[in-house]
Amino acid sequence: MKTVKDHAVIPAKTVERLALYRRVLLDLAKEGTRDVFSHQLAALSNNSPAQVRRDLMFLDFPGGSPRNGYSVDGLAARISETLDSGATRDIALVGVGNLGRAILDYLRARQPALRVTATFDVDQSKAGREIAGCPCYHIDVMKEVVQSRGVTLGVITVPAEKAQDVAERMVDAGIRGILNFAPIPLRLPSHVFTDRLDITMTLEKIAYFASRV
Amino acid sequence: MKTVKDHAVIPAKTVERLALYRRVLLDLAKEGTRDVFSHQLAALSNNSPAQVRRDLMFLDFPGGSPRNGYSVDGLAARISETLDSGATRDIALVGVGNLGRAILDYLRARQPALRVTATFDVDQSKAGREIAGCPCYHIDVMKEVVQSRGVTLGVITVPAEKAQDVAERMVDAGIRGILNFAPIPLRLPSHVFTDRLDITMTLEKIAYFASRV
DNA sequence: TTGTGTGAAACCGTTCACAGCG
DNA sequence: CGCTGTGAACGGTTTCACACAA
């Protein structure tokens, strides 16, 4: 029996794992697997079977039988409905340095539901050119471009000192969610969802735990 | 009074925040600030003053006076002692694509306590060259290079299909901690500390939360 | 019999609130 | 006073354990 309402908010950690399950399921589908048990999905995403089943409760998915487990295709589709609502999201990327270009390449091959529509930089010489098949504008025209194309997500790959300013311009342009690679957290109005991927900090954490036994 | 033993294991989230506090403190020091209150540190790393004070309890730092707060230099130094023990850690980076190069650049400027010593790739044509001032070897010689230089940390920026294999070679070479950029979790012996920075997954999470109000 | 779906318990991290001190 | 240090309360997440279904 399903008790979770359609529009119930799913906790962030669960959303992350659902995105991971989807990727695993798509891989399984590609190699022809039809059905999967929670313990298999758990092994492939290393966590516990109980965690997997608990996460799937949020999907309102009629799925799993004790005989066969879950339908790979059905479950993947249900996750996509829940996370994406099927719509493609447009992304603006600010800061066309090495990291910015890497992320462009990274995303181009993947998930067509997430697409970098435009890139921006302070460097005038980059404006007007195409970077990895994606037009690059000067940052001063960001608001117009973002609004005319209905971009709702932003990625920040500029140096730490510029990140807060860029983020505020993004919010002003109407962007609702920001992924920040700068090593400093952004202070933004609470209606904007932000997350940070801090490479140095993560390495420092790994260094700490790798030394104690 | 301090009750936390020197070798007590600090929770991962606290370690992350301590690394962030250190960065903030170093910025403050650079601009000449001598002392800082927990509420200031909290604002700069956006979280609560209570959280900051709770985190600092793990440091066994005699610090804070109600009059002046904490000594900026003293606190930064104490965090470094606790996280790094002052030692420089050597890193091996496998996968010299765009992302790999971006991370090399990113780390070169920063934290001298973390240094990429060698890079590796399957591409023979990259071997023998220098990438961003860092020697690049073929992946087959990784074990020797890693062992002769005492490298203990690894960064994986290869495609998903290769990541597990690369990780196992790293572990075989004696690496103790791995930062994985591939979108699939690694299955490794539990004595190896691993963390994953999954760009696509994070964007999917942001897309999910950016659409609900 | 095996695996799902799920209440209930255990666990962990954050926040509260206040005693103690400069 | 205002801030630190911290015990205690709180809330969210994970794990346990078992009824139920194929």
Side-chain angles (χ1 to χ4, degrees):
Chain A
M1 192 214 297
K2 293 304 171 310
T3 54
V4 179
K5 298 221 309 293
D6 258 355
H7 56 285
V9 172
I10 303 176
K13 295 223 173 133
T14 298
V15 171
E16 291 182 357
R17 284 186 301 256
L18 287 173
L20 176 57
Y21 301 154
R22 171 169 58 181
R23 182 150 45 218
V24 168
L25 288 165
L26 294 177
D27 285 352
L28 287 173
K30 205 168 294 171
E31 59 182 53
T33 308
R34 307 290 293 256
D35 303 287
V36 68
F37 293 115
S38 65
H39 62 85
Q40 298 174 305
L41 213 39
L44 290 166
S45 42
N46 30 319
N47 64 141
S48 67
Q51 182 70 79
V52 171
R53 296 202 303 277
R54 180 65 61 183
D55 289 335
L56 299 190
M57 282 179 67
F58 287 95
L59 293 179
D60 211 348
F61 181 63
S65 82
R67 175 76 69 212
N68 301 313
Y70 308 91
S71 149
V72 169
D73 291 342
L75 188 50
R78 189 74 194 87
I79 293 174
S80 290
E81 274 175 55
T82 307
L83 295 191
D84 311 333
S85 326
T88 297
R89 304 297 297 267
D90 289 299
I91 300 171
L93 184 147
V94 180
V96 189
N98 277 296
L99 186 56
R101 266 186 287 260
I103 289 162
L104 263 177
D105 284 353
Y106 211 75
L107 287 178
R108 202 159 31 125
R110 307 208 134 264
Q111 223 56 21
L114 293 172
R115 176 185 50 203
V116 178
T117 306
T119 68
F120 301 89
D121 206 289
V122 273
D123 187 343
Q124 288 286 2
S125 71
K126 283 175 186 156
R129 307 207 335 220
E130 285 216 343
I131 316 275
C134 199
C136 182
Y137 303 93
H138 189 267
I139 191 165
D140 287 344
V141 301
M142 181 169 68
K143 189 169 182 175
E144 294 122 72
V145 175
V146 161
Q147 289 183 341
S148 69
R149 307 219 186 173
V151 175
T152 53
L153 302 178
V155 175
I156 296 179
T157 50
V158 301
E161 319 82 64
K162 310 279 183 189
Q164 179 65 35
D165 176 56
V166 168
E168 286 169 14
R169 285 161 177 250
M170 281 182 168
V171 173
D172 180 52
I175 279 176
R176 320 284 315 268
I178 295 177
L179 173 54
N180 175 27
F181 282 87
I184 286 292
L186 303 171
R187 316 217 76 228
L188 295 176
S190 63
H191 66 86
V192 181
F193 186 87
T194 317
D195 201 0
R196 209 157 52 86
L197 248 31
D198 189 332
I199 297 169
T200 309
M201 177 196 289
T202 308
L203 267 171
E204 286 166 347
K205 178 180 65 177
I206 292 169
Y208 174 80
F209 285 106
S211 33
R212 28 229 80 222
V213 180
Chain B
M1 192 214 296
K2 295 300 170 311
T3 53
V4 178
K5 299 220 309 293
D6 258 354
H7 57 286
V9 173
I10 303 176
K13 295 225 174 130
T14 297
V15 171
E16 292 182 356
R17 284 187 301 256
L18 287 173
L20 176 57
Y21 302 154
R22 172 169 56 181
R23 183 150 42 215
V24 168
L25 288 165
L26 294 177
D27 285 351
L28 287 174
K30 207 168 294 170
E31 58 182 53
T33 307
R34 306 291 293 258
D35 302 287
V36 69
F37 292 114
S38 65
H39 63 87
Q40 299 175 304
L41 214 40
L44 290 166
S45 42
N46 31 318
N47 63 144
S48 67
Q51 181 70 78
V52 170
R53 295 201 303 276
R54 179 66 60 183
D55 288 336
L56 299 190
M57 283 178 68
F58 286 96
L59 293 178
D60 210 348
F61 180 62
S65 83
R67 174 76 70 213
N68 301 313
Y70 307 91
S71 148
V72 170
D73 291 341
L75 187 49
R78 190 72 194 86
I79 293 174
S80 290
E81 272 175 57
T82 307
L83 296 191
D84 307 323
S85 327
T88 297
R89 304 297 296 267
D90 289 297
I91 301 171
L93 184 147
V94 179
V96 188
N98 278 295
L99 187 57
R101 265 185 287 260
I103 289 162
L104 264 178
D105 283 353
Y106 211 76
L107 287 179
R108 203 161 28 127
R110 307 206 132 267
Q111 224 55 21
L114 293 173
R115 176 184 51 205
V116 178
T117 305
T119 68
F120 301 89
D121 205 289
V122 273
D123 186 344
Q124 288 285 4
S125 71
K126 285 176 187 155
R129 304 203 341 213
E130 284 216 343
I131 315 276
C134 199
C136 182
Y137 303 93
H138 189 269
I139 191 165
D140 287 344
V141 300
M142 181 168 68
K143 187 167 182 174
E144 295 123 72
V145 175
V146 161
Q147 289 183 342
S148 69
R149 306 217 188 175
V151 175
T152 53
L153 303 178
V155 175
I156 296 180
T157 49
V158 302
E161 319 83 64
K162 311 279 184 188
Q164 179 66 35
D165 176 56
V166 168
E168 285 168 14
R169 286 162 176 248
M170 280 183 169
V171 173
D172 180 52
I175 279 176
R176 320 286 314 269
I178 296 177
L179 173 54
N180 174 26
F181 282 87
I184 286 292
L186 303 170
R187 315 217 76 228
L188 295 176
S190 63
H191 66 85
V192 181
F193 185 87
T194 318
D195 202 359
R196 209 157 51 88
L197 249 29
D198 189 332
I199 297 169
T200 308
M201 177 195 288
T202 308
L203 267 171
E204 286 165 346
K205 179 180 64 176
I206 292 170
Y208 174 79
F209 285 106
S211 35
R212 30 228 79 222
V213 181

